[in-house]
Amino acid sequence: MDARIPAHIEVSGFIRAVEAEGGFGTVLNKGERDAGTIMLVLIENGDNARIYERMPQLDGSRVWQCTRRQQTSPDFGESLTMRLAFSDYIETRGRQDPDLWIVELDVAKPERFIGLGV
């Protein structure tokens, strides 16, 4: 049997770790308390948003992978459209999976909190 940390404890740990580093963390969508999956929206100073989700690998492990990046454009209208598409993806994922936790973390170099030294 796969020993897994309950989702609500892992989410709480992410938020506490980020806040201890002077960042901000919040739950955008509360999923299933123990077995829910987690999607992280990582941001640096309110910009450069990207989404990380755990993806199953052939060996049965699950690793964090960037599934979306918020595109920015110098054109305000185009930039707004891109931001809305990014937000729509987050909302759609939340509707598709009622067990999904969606957590936003805004801190410098947020990938370090999921073991990625990007």
Side-chain angles (χ1 to χ4, degrees):
M1 183 168 189
D2 184 22
R4 218 174 117 184
I5 298 172
H8 73 281
I9 292 175
E10 188 172 11
V11 166
S12 179
F14 281 133
I15 292 172
R16 286 177 181 242
V18 165
E19 289 177 348
E21 293 290 323
F24 173 79
T26 190
V27 174
L28 301 177
N29 188 68
K30 199 174 201 179
E32 204 284 325
R33 180 175 167 84
D34 294 319
T37 56
I38 300 171
M39 180 172 84
L40 298 175
V41 180
L42 305 183
I43 303 173
E44 294 180 70
N45 295 322
D47 201 17
N48 192 23
R50 52 248 185 238
I51 295 172
Y52 277 85
E53 300 179 72
R54 283 197 186 110
M55 297 297 186
Q57 305 300 301
L58 292 175
D59 65 1
S61 65
R62 295 175 23 235
V63 298
W64 290 104
Q65 290 185 336
C66 184
T67 57
R68 286 280 190 285
R69 290 186 180 277
Q70 186 176 40
Q71 303 296 318
T72 56
S73 170
D75 178 348
F76 177 75
E78 188 175 329
S79 179
L80 179 59
T81 301
M82 291 176 184
R83 288 181 188 268
L84 290 174
F86 188 83
S87 295
D88 285 346
Y89 177 78
I90 294 170
E91 289 177 27
T92 300
R93 287 286 290 118
R95 283 193 308 272
Q96 289 172 338
D97 185 355
D99 294 337
L100 179 68
W101 288 80
I102 303 174
V103 181
E104 182 177 301
L105 304 175
D106 189 343
V107 66
K109 300 179 185 173
E111 279 85 357
R112 63 191 160 122
F113 293 97
I114 57 173
L116 300 175
V118 176

